[in-house]
Amino acid sequence: MTGAAVAGPTQAEPPAAPGPEAGPLAALGIRRRSFLTWTARITALLALPATLRPQVAQAVEAAVASGERPTLVWLEFQDCTGDTESFLRARNPSVSQVILDLVSVDYQETIMAGAGEAAEASKAAAIARGGHIIVVEGSVPLGAGGGYCVIGGRSAEQILTEAVKGAAAVINVGTCSAYGGLPAAAPNPTQAVAVPDVVQGVPMVNLPGCPANVDNITATLVHYLTFGQLPPTDEQGRPLFAYGERIHDNCPKRGHFDAGQFALAFGDEGHRKGWCLYKLGCKGPSTWHNCSTQKWNGGTSWPIQAGAPCVGCSEPGFWDTMTPMYARLPDVTGVGQDLSAEKIGLGLVGATAVGATVHGVVKVARTRRQLAAEAPAVPPPPPPLPPTERDATDDQTPAGAR
Amino acid sequence: MTDMHPSVRRPAANREVVVGTECVTPVKVWQPWIRLLHWTLVGTVVVLSLTGFYIADPVVLGGDGGGLMATVRFVHVLAGWMLITVLVGRLYLAFAGNPWARWPQLLPVWRERRAQLWHTVRYYAFLEKHPAEVVGHNPMAGLAYVGLFGMLAVQAVTGIALVAVTDRDGWEWAATGWVFQLLAVPEVRLLHHLVMWFTWTFVVFHVYAATLVDRVERGGEISSMVGGWKMMPTGRIEEELSRDAARRRRRRR
């Protein structure tokens, strides 16, 4: 579907607006053809109808022409800068420039020229103006009074709480800011929490992933520029355009799954043939993300295509709920040692069987002894269960119950 | 005996036999529906476990695979719906069945049943020579079945939830999506797998208890689940039926 939507409009429609090399985009050195290709791609990625492509193009052009660019403040807390790295690897270099020109990135620790007091002043000014977009990368540690992540003498929690005042939207890029991610994994020594656990009441969207895919970041920004609001989300706060479908349901190896063809070990015959990675612990069946259609690094490849099982990095509770990475079922933890479901199940069934056998042997032996002992007292033929005995036992029952 | 449940057959006086000094009569304890549900449940649990094992840890047959996973998953989901049908049917009979299918047989709400429960516990601890004299389920078995139905309900909910992940627009997700607010998908799979093992633990004990009461205590338990008849002391049957009739009369007033 994505391919058709991309190919259709760009080839069939001639450029709608002025001459091919006029307008504000030409001034930035962007060819109209590549711009329209890009807008078609973004429109398809956002799962919008192709008829909305001109609206997307106009919104982006208008934003560039007006010069009124929304301010973007990119905050990094407990992170690895992976999402920043991902953001800087936009698919189309010239169009990534568009995006960087669409929004005024007033604070981004990794790429900004300013440092120290100047950088802090730039951020303070952007926040004071209001209407800015906050992008958060990394989780927020609450432990030790916030002492695990301090920038410019203030804790991550303080910085975040101040920054969202007057903000138009908060975009959580990466699993750490969206759900806590790796820093929040057990035993979570810094008491790391997700951004939604610290701030509420601001339009917010989660773009989880380790890292978040730049295509989804730019598409979210374009959606905001085009419609003035964040894209619709699922129960986990993730945009449906990017996280609406399960990886498994759009996986190129899905045919091998349904067929029953599985790689059993890395490098075995099935693995070399590109069979399903299910038995190697693939979490594609547990993960909602558009990796299988959008791919990574400009559509070059993505983990499952490269033969690595999905680890479910964009799900809430990653890492704890998605490990072990190379086994299908998690172990049962917290019982002294990690036990597999099979060990527990076979243990329970085996123990019950042994217990029942022992009980049965004892019962049969006692019944035989009882019958033998009673045999002389009762005239032949001896009844198997003498009624006098039975009645006497029953009569005592209510007393026993009390 | 005027208000007896229509499905109960009166103990036929001419079929009464004397064992020792005791009069025993064949009585139709298990309605056809109960027996049908029982053996359907046995079949579905076996099919669900075998297909479930494959889904959890598939064997690779080689060749083109033959669409095995797709087929097995289809059978598993189909058998899952069969299981849910059995559960709904049993729930219906718990309110509309004969006196030995109804819910007081499962939950010891009556003082007499609680006394029999204690008696049964003592019986299994070798402190009583014979089990409590009941026509239908003994109260401990009733509680065990409540536990079994609870486990199967967990399987039903987690099973529907694991089907729901294929389509978050479907009614299955609307009904069971809340499960994933509590547990991640792999954790739900683990729970589904563990409860399957708990079910088999129940099966082992259930088969043992039935064999014990059938072979050692001569209660006719095993054949009763095929034909529905049990040999019971005549007085005991009359007692339970008159109590049930009294309850029906009270309820009607």
Side-chain angles (χ1 to χ4, degrees):
Chain A
M1 192 195 78
T2 309
V6 170
T10 46
Q11 287 171 3
E13 291 178 26
E21 304 300 337
L25 290 159
L28 296 170
I30 295 164
R31 290 186 58 244
R32 181 141 195 93
R33 187 176 186 79
S34 60
F35 174 68
L36 290 178
T37 307
W38 178 83
T39 55
R41 212 175 262 154
I42 284 284
T43 309
L45 168 56
L46 283 167
L48 297 170
T51 49
L52 277 182
R53 185 190 55 75
Q55 194 179 332
V56 171
Q58 279 164 15
V60 173
E61 274 185 306
V64 173
S66 69
E68 289 172 12
R69 304 172 300 171
T71 309
L72 193 144
V73 174
W74 186 299
L75 302 173
E76 288 187 58
F77 299 130
Q78 283 183 306
D79 73 330
C80 65
T81 318
D83 299 295
T84 299
E85 292 288 342
S86 178
F87 182 62
L88 297 177
R89 272 153 186 72
R91 164 179 290 203
N92 184 331
S94 60
V95 179
S96 79
Q97 192 184 342
V98 171
I99 281 299
L100 288 175
D101 283 313
L102 280 177
V103 290
S104 167
V105 183
D106 284 19
Y107 186 85
Q108 215 300 358
E109 285 156 11
T110 306
I111 59 169
M112 66 188 171
E117 296 293 335
E120 291 299 312
S122 164
K123 183 174 71 180
I127 292 167
R129 279 197 301 276
H132 52 294
I133 299 171
I134 301 278
V135 175
V136 189
E137 180 180 0
S139 53
V140 181
L142 301 180
Y148 290 111
C149 181
V150 175
I151 304 159
R154 281 176 309 150
S155 73
E157 189 185 4
Q158 287 173 319
I159 295 170
L160 180 62
T161 315
E162 286 163 21
V164 297
K165 280 178 192 153
V170 175
I171 301 174
N172 299 319
V173 296
T175 303
C176 296
S177 57
Y179 305 129
L182 280 180
N188 191 2
T190 64
Q191 293 174 41
V193 297
V195 169
D197 296 329
V198 178
V199 292
Q200 289 93 25
V202 189
M204 198 180 294
V205 70
N206 293 331
L207 298 176
C210 198
N213 194 331
V214 63
D215 293 344
N216 296 333
I217 301 176
T218 44
T220 302
L221 288 172
V222 169
H223 190 283
Y224 182 79
L225 289 168
T226 308
F227 301 104
Q229 60 186 27
L230 294 170
T233 62
D234 65 6
E235 299 94 330
Q236 312 287 358
R238 302 175 288 198
L240 288 167
F241 78 82
Y243 301 87
E245 305 274 343
R246 234 173 16 144
I247 285 184
H248 187 55
D249 294 327
N250 288 320
C251 183
K253 295 187 192 295
R254 177 61 189 260
H256 295 297
F257 172 83
D258 286 335
Q261 296 172 312
F262 303 98
L264 303 176
F266 290 102
D268 75 352
E269 192 194 353
H271 194 236
R272 290 197 302 276
K273 284 180 174 170
W275 286 359
C276 177
L277 304 167
Y278 183 77
K279 281 181 76 102
L280 296 176
C282 183
K283 302 298 185 294
S286 315
T287 307
W288 284 267
H289 209 160
N290 58 355
C291 299
S292 42
T293 48
Q294 199 61 27
K295 301 191 181 181
W296 283 78
N297 298 325
T300 309
S301 185
W302 61 295
I304 288 176
Q305 186 178 338
C310 168
V311 298
C313 70
S314 58
E315 284 299 304
F318 174 81
W319 155 294
D320 291 343
T321 60
M322 293 291 159
T323 47
M325 284 179 174
Y326 302 123
R328 192 179 124 69
L329 280 181
D331 285 338
V332 177
T333 55
V335 285
Q337 55 174 327
D338 288 7
L339 288 174
S340 73
E342 249 61 58
K343 273 184 187 162
I344 290 175
L346 285 171
L348 274 175
V349 170
T352 311
V354 169
T357 308
V358 171
H359 190 276
V361 167
V362 172
K363 191 75 206 172
V364 167
R366 285 171 74 110
T367 308
R368 280 198 184 143
R369 203 184 325 144
Q370 184 189 333
L371 289 175
E374 286 163 358
V378 181
L385 302 173
T388 47
E389 186 66 36
R390 186 168 220 174
D391 292 342
T393 313
D394 281 355
D395 289 344
Q396 287 162 6
T397 309
R402 281 193 291 272
Chain B
M1 282 305 174
T2 47
D3 294 292
M4 212 161 63
H5 189 276
S7 78
V8 176
R9 282 196 217 163
R10 283 281 277 117
N14 57 350
R15 297 179 70 185
E16 204 168 55
V17 288
V18 176
V19 177
T21 60
E22 199 171 36
C23 295
V24 296
T25 312
V27 56
K28 186 94 173 218
V29 179
W30 311 125
Q31 298 167 265
W33 279 112
I34 283 281
R35 286 174 281 142
L36 181 70
L37 289 182
H38 177 268
W39 293 112
T40 312
L41 183 62
V42 172
T44 49
V45 167
V46 169
V47 169
L48 284 166
S49 300
L50 291 176
T51 52
F53 268 122
Y54 175 82
I55 294 168
D57 196 8
V59 290
V60 180
L61 298 183
D64 68 353
L68 192 56
M69 179 58 95
T71 309
V72 169
R73 287 181 74 235
F74 174 76
V75 171
H76 189 80
V77 172
L78 202 64
W81 282 111
M82 186 72 98
L83 176 83
I84 290 169
T85 309
V86 169
L87 284 179
V88 171
R90 187 63 187 83
L91 191 66
Y92 172 75
L93 288 181
F95 294 96
N98 80 9
W100 299 296
R102 269 206 289 273
W103 65 271
Q105 286 278 306
L106 303 176
L107 295 170
V109 287
W110 299 334
R111 185 174 300 149
E112 185 199 14
R113 297 282 294 173
R114 282 196 293 275
Q116 289 167 342
L117 174 64
W118 180 240
H119 184 108
T120 309
V121 171
R122 285 172 57 83
Y123 168 72
Y124 278 103
F126 305 114
L127 297 172
E128 299 280 354
K129 288 204 176 89
H130 300 289
E133 204 164 65
V134 291
V135 179
H137 302 304
N138 79 60
M140 198 167 105
L143 278 179
Y145 303 151
V146 171
L148 174 72
F149 299 147
M151 291 196 296
L152 296 179
V154 168
Q155 295 299 70
V157 170
T158 52
I160 295 174
L162 288 172
V163 167
V165 297
T166 58
D167 177 18
R168 289 195 293 179
D169 296 325
W171 70 265
E172 292 97 337
W173 183 267
T176 59
W178 56 269
V179 170
F180 299 107
Q181 305 290 331
L182 307 173
L183 295 170
V185 181
E187 292 169 331
V188 176
R189 292 208 171 94
L190 177 63
L191 178 66
H192 199 70
H193 200 89
L194 281 174
V195 175
M196 181 273 297
W197 277 117
F198 298 158
T199 307
W200 280 100
T201 307
F202 164 86
V203 170
V204 169
F205 186 77
H206 177 70
V207 169
Y208 167 68
T211 310
L212 175 72
V213 180
D214 189 282
R215 303 314 302 162
V216 180
E217 304 296 342
R218 306 284 168 190
E221 243 69 19
I222 293 176
S223 62
S224 78
M225 202 34 83
V226 179
W229 295 90
K230 265 190 185 179
M231 295 293 281
M232 293 305 296
T234 314
R236 184 70 212 164
I237 301 168
E238 297 286 347
E239 199 182 315
E240 292 208 358
L241 285 177
S242 62
R243 189 184 52 205
D244 182 71
R247 276 184 65 243
R248 289 169 159 274
R249 274 197 299 276
R250 272 205 305 280
R251 199 164 45 196
R252 206 167 300 154
R253 274 204 296 272

